[in-house]
Amino acid sequence: MNQNNDYYASIHRLGRTSTLIAIFLMFMVPLVTTILYGVKVDWKATLAAAMQLCIVFIPAQFTEVLSYSPILGPGGTYLSFITGNVSNMKLPAATSCHRMANVDPASDEGEVISVLAIGMSSITTGVILFLGMFALTPVIKYLQNDFLQPGFNNVMPALLGAMLMPYLLKKAKLAVLPFLLALVAGILIPTAAYSTYQGVLLIGTMVISIFAVIQLNKIRRN
């Protein structure tokens, strides 16, 4: 028991330190770039853009930490949120390894497997990106051909749609309302103005969906 407590204490200590270092380095990139190239920062526009991002990402990140931590474990949680791409790569890697090893995510074994799986996932991603920088450089001019641009312009919708469909099919009844709200908003709001209202739409859809689920559960119980 004491060894387990020492392990988790060291994990939290290392995780907090690593998180603070990562945040510091993330802020240093734009700060150093601004100083070196003498860029004048429009703080009003910067803060306005930051507020929109905070409206979108703070509730989502808070929810992700609460939802994913029991599965990822302490070490896996710190490692996942420092390296990023949690829901699309780190969480599937951890859950797949838990399933293959037939262990409980909340167990000590599950904690170790999460750290190993997420660590290998992060290393693999870094290696592929590093190699991709060199492999794509000779052919980048061909990829920028006008004939291929329509395909590249739709890469993000295609990826997001492919990632969304399994969740929609898994919980089809729960997905109907938020899907319809997002669809109606996408049709009614002009494309140029959509990014301005994206944060408000996200929060509104979350609140309406949660309220609808609560009401449905009350109806089922009665």
Side-chain angles (χ1 to χ4, degrees):
M1 179 64 78
N2 290 333
Q3 289 182 346
N4 288 348
N5 291 337
D6 292 341
Y7 167 78
Y8 287 113
S10 64
I11 283 291
H12 285 296
R13 183 169 56 252
L14 180 61
R16 290 165 186 160
T17 304
S18 302
T19 301
L20 291 175
I21 293 173
I23 293 172
F24 174 75
L25 293 176
M26 289 175 189
F27 278 103
M28 285 300 294
V29 172
L31 181 61
V32 171
T33 304
T34 301
I35 295 172
L36 286 179
Y37 293 96
V39 179
K40 293 186 66 175
V41 179
D42 186 346
W43 290 107
K44 185 177 180 180
T46 302
L47 291 174
M51 286 299 296
Q52 291 186 18
L53 291 173
C54 288
I55 291 174
V56 174
F57 286 105
I58 287 179
Q61 293 303 307
F62 184 74
T63 304
E64 283 189 1
V65 172
L66 292 179
S67 303
Y68 298 161
S69 294
I71 302 172
L72 299 174
T77 299
Y78 286 118
L79 189 56
S80 295
F81 283 93
I82 289 173
T83 55
N85 203 10
V86 184
S87 59
N88 299 329
M89 183 168 291
K90 305 307 188 302
L91 183 67
T95 53
S96 296
C97 289
H98 289 154
R99 187 166 54 251
M100 287 187 291
N102 194 26
V103 298
D104 184 1
S107 64
D108 293 337
E109 294 83 359
E111 158 69 10
V112 174
I113 287 176
S114 290
V115 172
L116 293 175
I118 295 167
M120 287 305 301
S121 173
S122 302
I123 293 172
T124 303
T125 303
V127 170
I128 291 174
L129 289 174
F130 183 76
L131 294 176
M133 289 189 298
F134 295 98
L136 291 177
T137 300
V139 298
I140 192 68
K141 61 181 179 181
Y142 301 108
L143 297 178
Q144 294 174 342
N145 189 286
D146 292 338
F147 179 77
L148 299 175
Q149 286 310 301
F152 286 108
N153 291 338
N154 290 283
V155 166
M156 283 304 297
L159 288 174
L160 292 175
M163 291 187 294
L164 179 63
M165 282 307 297
Y167 294 98
L168 292 179
L169 296 175
K170 187 175 181 179
K171 299 287 185 180
K173 293 181 179 179
L174 294 178
V176 170
L177 181 60
F179 179 78
L180 290 177
L181 289 174
L183 181 63
V184 171
I187 294 173
L188 296 180
I189 299 176
T191 304
Y194 192 84
S195 59
T196 305
Y197 302 102
Q198 183 178 1
V200 178
L201 288 171
L202 177 62
I203 301 297
T205 302
M206 290 171 60
V207 171
I208 294 172
S209 300
I210 292 171
F211 180 78
V213 171
I214 293 172
Q215 294 301 315
L216 286 173
N217 288 333
K218 287 182 179 180
I219 294 172
R220 289 175 180 174
R221 290 173 184 174
N222 295 332

